[in-house]
Amino acid sequence: MTAGTYKPWGKLDIARRVGADIPEGWYVNLGIGLPTLVADHIPEDREVVFHSENGILGMGPVPAPDEVDTWLVNAGKENVTLVPGAALFHHADSFAMIRGGHLDLCVLGAYEVAQNGDLANWTTSLNDRVPAVGGAMDLSAGVRNVWIMTTHTTKDGQPKLVERCGYPLTAGKAVTRVYSDLAVLDVTARGFVVTDMVEGLTRDELQKLTAAPLHYA
Amino acid sequence: MIDKQVEDVAQALSGITDGASVLVGGFGAVGQPNVLLDALGEMGVKNLTVIANNAGFEPDIGLGRLIGRGCVSKMICSFPRGSSSFDTFYRAGKIELEVVPQGTLAERIRAGGAGIPAFYTPTGVGTQLAAGKETRTFGKRDYLLEHGLAADIALVEAWEADRWGNLTFRGSGRNFNPIMAMAGRLTVVQAQHVVPLGAIPPNDVVTPGIFVDRVVHVPCGDPPIAKVATAQGGTK
């Protein structure tokens, strides 16, 4: 196949890949935005329990418009539902689950991921906006597996996978895997190891869009 | 007879003065003590330090309104976005901001209510929010020293309350409310329902009355409908 004939994975393609890789029985926190899509892409024969940091385990799908319970919101402040077996608790217990290493996985977005797993996803500067961190630092420091869902480059074509983060860190050595719209990469002691990539994309092309050396399994 | 129920919101807030530190429960539109916040704004108190997850949302409701009235001189929170009144005051240099990771905020409040002056946490190590904080290594990992956070006042919204101050919460309305009730030197509850003593089964009490000082009956009804997520991941 000639260079330049590849088509990046769409948001739903990425969500499907992430969903397919989450094992039975895992407790999972999905960050706001793109990662919330994963909830709809867990294989039907698999039980996965979703956590919301404002005090929900067993968060279910978005309600039908006539079935909204306004007493239930998720971390993005959207109305959600509960599945049978769900539990409600306060914020300190919720973050004990996060910080205490009880969650198996969180899926987050990123501005930058470094080859050692450093994550920058909370602010691009402390000067130009009101700084706001939410639960991102707790999740990335506390949860065993941190997977990132992101485009491979910024809107301007700048690599988001880098040798060292330039933006302020959310947590050091936190990310274990990246699902971009071009590739799936594990973060290892060697750096980024590509385990899957878009059909038609060459290794050279992927390397040019990545600001850290790529390795292959 | 112990009776923590007061007649009205004015009595519930009496004695709160300028410069007080105030814990405010709620997350999203749920569990917000908005009626107490409105009344606090009408009292005209100034220079409050408010501790909450957000810095309010709409400018005409609850914490957003209190900030818009110029009552708050410092916010301690995790996510001060989506609040036009906070934005206005912050950009004008009229309000101080301390950003705290959400889980650190929750644990600081829990510790403050539990008599723990400080603790070590892995959250925030190596980040800008670690500036000026003691770091200590346990095992092979670094941790930050964070301090417990108690306050003069806690404003809490509950589903049910009895005259001893036992509380239940509904849905995700629990959020910061139980830990803030513990950390307030004066804890004031706006309750959707006030029920007779004994009506809440002991197994169902979430916040025991020992943490509560005043209860006022505010049947303000269901929270408004929030944003509804779409299958594309956006919101509408």
Side-chain angles (χ1 to χ4, degrees), chain A residues 11-12 32-34 36-37 40 53-56 62-63 65 68-79 88-92 95 99 111 122-123 125-126 128-135 137-138 141-142 168-172, chain B residues 27-28 30 54 57 78-81 86-87 90-91 97 99-104 106-107 110 121-124 126-129 141 157 159 170-172 174-176 178-179 192 221-229 231-233 235:
Chain A
K11 289 176 187 175
L12 297 180
I32 23 187
L34 208 52
T36 57
L37 292 175
D40 296 331
E53 53 260 47
N54 58 316
I56 303 173
V62 168
V68 173
D69 176 356
T70 57
W71 288 89
L72 279 174
V73 296
N74 63 9
K77 283 93 175 176
E78 301 156 339
N79 290 128
L88 300 167
F89 36 87
H90 62 62
H91 251 84
F95 280 85
R99 206 188 304 100
Y111 296 134
W122 77 284
T123 182
S125 162
L126 277 186
D128 65 344
R129 290 180 83 181
V130 177
V133 68
M137 285 188 182
D138 308 278
L169 284 195
T170 307
Chain B
F27 189 94
V30 188
N54 297 79
F57 300 100
S78 89
F79 204 81
R81 254 180 226 158
F86 176 81
D87 271 4
Y90 183 70
R91 287 173 202 286
L97 173 64
V99 175
V100 182
Q102 195 172 149
T104 298
E107 192 62 16
R110 195 201 68 80
T121 177
T123 302
T127 74
Q128 290 179 349
L129 298 188
R141 205 165 176 198
E157 204 255 6
W159 178 244
R170 179 165 172 183
S172 64
R174 200 174 302 196
N175 57 68
F176 282 91
I179 53 174
Q192 294 271 350
D222 295 338
I225 290 186
K227 297 176 288 182
V228 176
Q232 283 71 46
T235 56

Side-chain angles (χ1 to χ4, degrees), chain B residues 40-77:
Chain B
L40 193 59
E42 279 156 24
M43 285 166 63
V45 286
K46 299 287 178 201
N47 292 321
L48 300 176
T49 293
V50 171
I51 303 134
N53 188 62
N54 297 79
F57 300 100
E58 291 83 358
D60 54 344
I61 298 174
L63 183 51
R65 193 174 183 187
L66 188 72
I67 292 169
R69 282 171 155 151
C71 301
V72 181
S73 58
K74 181 176 181 183
M75 269 310 309
I76 301 176
C77 65

